[in-house]
Amino acid sequence: GAAGAAMLAVTYEGVTAAATLEGAMANVNTVLGEGALATRELNEVRAKAIALSLTTVLTAEEEARAYYIAASNGMDHATALAAMVKGSELVIGTTRNAAEAQAELETTTRTLTTVVKNFGDASADPAAQMQHFTDVMAQLQTKFAFGGIGEITNAMSVLAPAARAAGIDFNSMSAAMAVISEKGIHGAEA
């Protein structure tokens, strides 16, 4: 009856979620290489993606995809994990609903890796650096005239390499973005 149909639906959703996670993990595997270390890192990504999905509106597949984006953009394992975690926290804290958070995760993760490439310190703790970068991005989105985290990521993806080339640090670039936003110029226009 109805109970059997409900149980079948739950089972189907669980199998589908597991299959899509494994698809994302296959992508992750392509950036990890081979050997025991790669296997350990793959298992760590899977466990972290599942753990995050249990406490957020993002799926384990989306979390694993965020790791893949960070790692494929040249981040080492620890930094890619930090990007996955802090990127998730950022989109959850700065979006209006689950669908918007899910839609912004990939772009936000990609932008975080651009910020790290341009302003990061390889000798510093990756999680602490990501925390600083995401705190500043969240403040820009919530305290200034940006319409959403998407406008921040659009602007930073263009401005970060240019600012770095001009010798401008992350905090100064972000302060300039705030001023420009208050003047009515947003997103990639900034």
Side-chain angles (χ1 to χ4, degrees):
M7 191 152 50
L8 182 60
V10 169
T11 301
Y12 175 78
E13 287 178 19
V15 169
T16 301
T20 57
L21 173 58
E22 288 313 306
M25 293 308 299
N27 287 339
V28 168
N29 195 41
T30 66
V31 296
L32 292 178
E34 298 179 17
L37 178 61
T39 300
R40 183 182 60 75
E41 289 175 347
L42 185 68
N43 289 333
E44 188 176 2
V45 172
R46 179 182 286 110
K48 181 62 84 175
I50 291 169
L52 288 169
S53 75
L54 295 175
T55 60
T56 70
V57 297
L58 302 166
T59 67
E61 175 195 9
E62 290 162 336
E63 298 288 5
R65 177 100 177 115
Y67 176 92
Y68 170 75
I69 288 168
S72 65
N73 284 335
M75 302 293 105
D76 64 27
H77 177 66
T79 306
L81 276 177
M84 179 174 77
V85 171
K86 297 305 177 185
S88 297
E89 291 173 359
L90 180 61
V91 297
I92 290 166
T94 58
T95 55
R96 293 178 290 260
N97 55 50
E100 189 178 333
Q102 292 163 339
E104 294 293 346
L105 182 60
E106 287 189 26
T107 303
T108 299
T109 303
R110 190 169 287 110
T111 300
L112 278 173
T113 62
T114 298
V115 167
V116 169
K117 283 181 178 180
N118 287 281
F119 303 108
D121 177 355
S123 67
D125 174 48
Q129 280 191 101
M130 286 292 174
Q131 185 67 57
H132 172 71
F133 294 144
T134 58
D135 284 349
V136 171
M137 292 169 76
Q139 288 175 4
L140 282 171
Q141 195 270 321
T142 57
K143 293 183 179 181
F144 296 96
F146 289 97
I149 195 64
E151 287 186 1
I152 302 293
T153 59
N154 283 336
M156 282 194 174
S157 67
V158 173
L159 292 175
R164 175 68 176 171
I168 299 169
D169 66 38
F170 176 75
N171 291 334
S172 297
M173 177 195 71
S174 299
M177 286 175 59
V179 170
I180 291 169
S181 176
E182 287 184 331
K183 301 296 181 191
I185 300 171
H186 311 289
E189 296 173 5

